[in-house]
Amino acid sequence: MNTLKDKIRSEGIVLSDQVLKVDAFLNHQIDPLLMKQIGHEFAERFKGQGITKIVTIEASGIAPAVMAGLELGIPVIFARKFQSLTLKNDLLISKVFSFTKQTESTIAISARHLTAADHVLVIDDFLANGHAAKALIDLIQQAGASISGLGIVIEKSFQDGRKLLESEGYRVESLARVKSLAGGEVEFLD
Amino acid sequence: MNTLKDKIRSEGIVLSDQVLKVDAFLNHQIDPLLMKQIGHEFAERFKGQGITKIVTIEASGIAPAVMAGLELGIPVIFARKFQSLTLKNDLLISKVFSFTKQTESTIAISARHLTAADHVLVIDDFLANGHAAKALIDLIQQAGASISGLGIVIEKSFQDGRKLLESEGYRVESLARVKSLAGGEVEFLD
C-alpha cells in the first residue's frame, strides 16, 4: 500500500535496527484519513469471506480495525490488556509477552461478544514476533470461532511473526512489509 | 442524539445506580457505523471553530475521536495511560484518579505532537466526575494549546463533571445525557 509506505518513509523514525516509531500517524497521533484508506484496503483484501467480526487489541489496533469494520459492515471487538487480572465470569483470557517492554501481560475478551458462530478477521498495527497475534488467536479459538486471516498495518518481515502464523495455516495480509531498518533506513519488501 | 439513545436503551446494561455498561457497542465491542454517526455529530457541533487537533484518551475514546477527526480533517492524539511512568523527555504528564477502579494512573502525551499553535477539541466516551477530562485539559494547557470544548459520547448528568467543566468556562457537548440510572432504568435529560 503505497500511501502507507510513503507515510512511513516521511514520518516514521528508525530508533534502532529493530524499532520503527510511527507515533506521528498510527500509535499515538493518528491520521484519520490514512486509517480510512487502511480500512478500505483491508476490506478489499478480505471481502467475500463471510467475516462476521473483527478482533483487535487496545490501543493502536482500534483505529484501523474500526475503519475496516465500517467498510465491511461488521462489529469490532478490542481485547483489553491487564497487568494482572483476577478471573472473572464470561472472560476469555490469554497471556502475551512483550519483547519491547520485557513484561508479560494478560489480554481478555468478553465471551458474550464472540461465539462459535463467528468468523473473525484479526487486525493489528504491528506484526513482529507474532506473540500478540497468537494470543488473539488463542482467545478466538477459546470462543470456538473460526479465523479468516490476519490484517496487519506494518509487518517487520525480519522477525518471525509471519512465518509462525503461516506455518499454522493462517493467511497474513500486511499493508507494509519492512525488510530492514539497518543503517537508520526503512527498506520495504516487494 | 436519538440513534445513540436508542442504542443505550436497547443494548446498555444498568449495573447499579452509578454504572452503565455499554461494552456491546462502545467500550469493548464497537459499532463502527454508530461511531461514524457520532463523529459526524461532533463535527457538526464544533465545525467552524478553527480546531486543529482532537485529543482523547485510550482506549474507548479512540473510535469516536478518529471518526470526528475524519469528518473535521484533522489529526487525533490519544493520551496513553500508565500505572507508573518514569519521566521522559518530551512527555507532558498528568495524573487521573479513577473512582471506578479506585486507583491513580498517569496519562501522557508527546510534546512533539501538541504545540501552542493548536486549538483542541477534547473527546471522550464518558463524562462522570470530570477527572479524566480535567487531566486531558491539564496536558493541553501544559502544551500551551487552546481548547475549543469537550465532546462527550455519554454524560452521567447526575455526577458533577459538567458543572465542574462549565464553571471553568469550557463548552461541553454531550450526545446522550443520562439523568438517572435508578431502578435499573436509563432516564435521559431533555
Side-chain angles (χ1 to χ4, degrees), chain B residues 16-36:
Chain B
S16 74
D17 285 5
Q18 303 290 316
V19 181
L20 172 65
K21 188 171 179 172
V22 289
D23 75 346
F25 59 91
L26 180 61
N27 281 338
H28 180 37
Q29 181 166 259
I30 299 172
D31 179 335
L33 180 58
L34 180 64
M35 295 303 120
K36 184 176 180 349

Side-chain angles (χ1 to χ4, degrees), chain A residues 107-124:
Chain A
I107 68 170
I109 280 181
S110 165
R112 291 190 300 120
H113 300 308
L114 200 61
T115 75
D118 281 311
H119 190 50
V120 177
L121 168 61
V122 176
I123 285 185
D124 206 359

Side-chain angles (χ1 to χ4, degrees), chain B residues 50-64:
Chain B
I51 296 167
T52 59
K53 291 223 168 141
I54 291 172
V55 167
T56 187
I57 185 166
E58 64 176 352
S60 304
I62 294 174

